[in-house]
Amino acid sequence: MKKIFYSVVLFLLPLLFLDGCSRQEQDSSYQIFYLNTDITKLIPETVEVEEAEGETLVRKLLKQLQTQPDDAGLRQTIPSDVKVESVNLTAYQITVDFSEEYYQMEATEEILARAAIAKTLLQVSEYPYVAFTVGKKPLELEDGITVGAMSEDSFVENPGGQINSSQKATLTLYFADKKGKWLVPETREVHYSSNTSLDKLVIKQLIEGPKTRGLQATIPPGTKLITVTVVDNVCYVNLDEVFLNQNQEITEQVVLYSIVNSLTELESVDKVQISVNGDTSGKVRYIYELAPMYEADSSMILKEEEEVESTE
């Protein structure tokens, strides 16, 4: 049984639109989401875009977001000093890399601008996710949390006007036992920001390590989560090279299924694929290939009763 519970309705942004339509109305018409001058909401404007597809279309939409609209009550979404350095399209995701000036935006402006950019680009139907990087590195919030890819599910109208809200989830995470040969579940209640996806939260909690005495972390400390996205119930986890500096006393199988079993506890995840710096051609260590999409393995969970003392 999946072990994930919500205690607060998800509210991300005060997206109070004048027009609820966010998909293109015809081949050349797109909704470009601008900010109002008070920087309190997003307002869509229908714009005719010269017929294009793929990266060319994405760049045309970004150009519109960088242009001051004719309506004096609106302002351009991407500030003039923020440059679009590159655009990268994968099989399912658009990644936009911005210049370092992106971080000069105030928090409220950045949240709304990010939402406006994502809402605009998500109209390119082949790409259900939009990710942000700054200087080729994943976008980070002030508290150090990496911003994951955004999808249509990232947006919920919030009449109350909250930009962020606190949520609570009960996660089941799997760590290594003291011998490094088995997985032991640890149930953890976590409070987190509403702009953090649950898949990202799981990986972040695994990197932090266990809170139960006698258990061991399976992901090396200092490992950076580059991106994590879920498409068609497959969670794609992209970690940096520090992930390969694993504790050799923990078996490779335990390392792998610590991640897989933890993520598949989420309702939205059935399989997991891991990459290192975006590369799936290597191995977790010596045996297990990165490329396959792994399903949970309950045989790795410690069956015998073993008392563990909580450190909390």
Side-chain angles (χ1 to χ4, degrees), residues 24-32 46-52 57 61 64 123:
Q24 62 188 80
E25 296 174 352
Q26 37 184 303
D27 289 347
S28 59
S29 297
Y30 289 85
Q31 295 289 322
I32 305 299
T46 301
V47 174
E48 296 295 320
V49 178
E50 186 176 340
E51 186 175 351
L57 174 57
L61 295 176
Q64 292 290 334
Q123 294 171 90

Side-chain angles (χ1 to χ4, degrees), residues 203-230:
I203 298 299
K204 290 289 188 180
Q205 293 293 311
L206 286 175
I207 292 173
E208 285 185 14
K211 295 184 177 180
T212 304
R213 186 170 300 162
L215 301 186
Q216 302 185 69
T218 53
I219 300 179
T223 300
K224 299 293 184 183
L225 173 61
I226 299 175
T227 57
V228 57
T229 54
V230 178

Side-chain angles (χ1 to χ4, degrees), residues 109-126:
E109 180 184 4
E110 188 279 323
I111 291 171
L112 290 173
R114 176 160 29 104
I117 296 167
K119 292 286 288 184
T120 299
L121 297 184
L122 284 169
Q123 294 171 90
V124 184
S125 58
E126 306 97 303

Side-chain angles (χ1 to χ4, degrees), residues 92 129 199 203 225 227-239 263 269 271-275 280 291 293:
Y92 57 88
Y129 289 88
D199 42 301
I203 298 299
L225 173 61
T227 57
V228 57
T229 54
V230 178
V231 180
D232 295 332
N233 299 109
V234 178
C235 186
Y236 298 87
V237 182
N238 184 15
L239 302 170
L263 284 168
V269 179
K271 298 178 181 180
V272 177
Q273 183 191 64
I274 301 170
S275 60
T280 59
M293 298 177 184

